[in-house]
Amino acid sequence: MTSQAYDIVVIGGGPAGAMAAWDAARAGHAVLIVDRGGRIKPCGGAIPPRALTEFELPESLLAARAHCARMISPAGRAVDMPIDGYVGMVDREHFDEWLRERAAGAGATRCTARFRRLAYQDDGRVVLSLEGADRDLADEIVARCVIGADGARSEVARQAIPAARDIPYVAAYHEIVESPAPSANPDFDGQRCDVYYQGRVSPDFYGWIFPHGGQTSVGVGTAVKGFSMRSAVADLRARAGLADGRTIRREGAPIPLKTLRRWDDGRAVVLAGDAAGGVAPASGEGIYYAMLSGRLAAEAAMAYCESGRSRALARARKRFMRAHGRVFWILGQMQRFWYVSDKRRERFVNICRDPDVQHLTWEAYMHKRLVRARPLAHIRIFFKDMGHLLGVVSQK
Ligand SMILES: Cc1cc2nc3c(=O)[nH]c(=O)nc-3n(C[C@H](O)[C@H](O)[C@H](O)COP(=O)(O)OP(=O)(O)OC[C@H]3O[C@@H](n4cnc5c(N)ncnc54)[C@H](O)[C@@H]3O)c2cc1C
């Protein structure tokens, strides 16, 4: 029986895993990155430009830039939120592959295979069982540390951290359609993201139309069982004049709604990205957070490899939550409050007209932090929010 040992084995080659593998490999660790392959991750592909600078991504990875978000209310009111800068749009087919190749270029060994099981040896190292590998691997893969970055409903998480089985999800479904020529559909704007807050589109989340150059993602999310996401997307396509465009792909995937309370198993496994539930509530934004948590998981794994102390693994979540826990909490409250009825959605979209709200929303999205410098704006928004809640502010 042959055996191959690595410092760190990363399961999953999406943004979280590829980022973790890149960081650990360029720090000189022996890294194996395993992805099952064969499927493009269903995703709207919107990322803040900050991701480009923070994670050293070339602008060539952007398929398009959006300069405005249009919020559409249940009554059909449209509120434009111009973006000071842009929101980047990536195609996951090319984006993820570029990230995996970058990790390989830094020295990580890439392997297409499906992770099946992990078990601990007496010496605290982890033995991994993989299936269908596309390259010659030893019979036994042994790791000092494992990073579980295998996405929503992670198998690594299910085996290492029992609470992962209870993460709540929204189901998301989208259709990738050919973008129309500007002359064929004057209502379609290839530089604008449309977000539908309407119960008929989604009873508890939202629907979207995100342009990616030649292709456009039209999708919806919901946690309500039995709600027909296909019909909702068909409805969106019809309303946006995209019903007759060629459909390139139809696909769906879950989006985790809650960050796990533990990302490590107290021994040698740490999670990152969707596997850890690290997605922003209310928006479902996960790419930036997956990359960041991949980076933090790699740092924690490297510290563990150096010190042998399992406690080092807990630092990944601690650092992530210190930076983003408050924003996630606020977004969670927003989702619980605003996404429950058309009456509230109408008010929510109305609030988005407010220049202070627009400024703070984009600041938070772009810079991934709450703006502390303008306390007066927060106070104004608080009173305006109360006004909207109580119905004393007109909806025009
Ligand atoms: C429809 C939809 C739209 C979205 N839109 C946006 C958006 O516009 N902007 C945004 O920021 N976020 C969006 N998200 C969320 C975002 O896609 C995720 O948060 C992000 O992809 C998480 O990255 P990850 O690396 O943790 O997981 P993933 O991207 O899911 O990657 C996990 C990887 O693990 C691999 N894998 C899984 N199981 C195994 C196994 N057993 N063995 C080996 N490999 C395995 C998979 O092949 C995959 O490559 C959207 C999600 C959905 C479903």
Side-chain angles (χ1 to χ4, degrees), residues 8 28 40 62 85 92 94 135 141 161 166 172 198 203 246 252 267 272 292 329 339 348 368 372 381 386:
I8 298 171
I40 302 166
L62 298 181
R92 294 293 299 270
H94 309 300
R135 58 187 299 151
I141 301 293
I161 297 165
D166 304 324
Q198 303 181 330
R246 187 169 71 89
R267 299 179 76 182
L292 175 67
W329 184 83
Y339 291 12
F348 175 64
K368 296 294 169 234
R372 288 172 207 274
I381 286 170
M386 291 308 289

Side-chain angles (χ1 to χ4, degrees), residues 11-18 34-39 41-48 89 92 96 100 113-116 149-152 154-155 172-174 206 208 210 217 220 251-256 272-275 278-279 283-291 293 365:
I11 304 295
V34 180
D35 193 277
R36 67 183 169 196
R39 187 181 188 223
K41 165 77 186 183
C43 185
I47 59 167
M89 295 292 161
R92 294 293 299 270
D96 290 16
R100 288 189 286 265
R114 177 181 282 267
F115 162 80
R116 284 296 185 198
D150 47 339
S154 153
E155 190 51 41
Y173 167 78
H174 75 162
Y206 64 85
W208 68 85
F210 286 180
S217 157
V220 300
E251 53 201 13
I255 302 179
D274 279 14
V279 176
S283 68
E285 183 196 354
I287 300 172
Y288 171 86
Y289 296 110
M291 297 185 81
S293 61
Y365 177 77

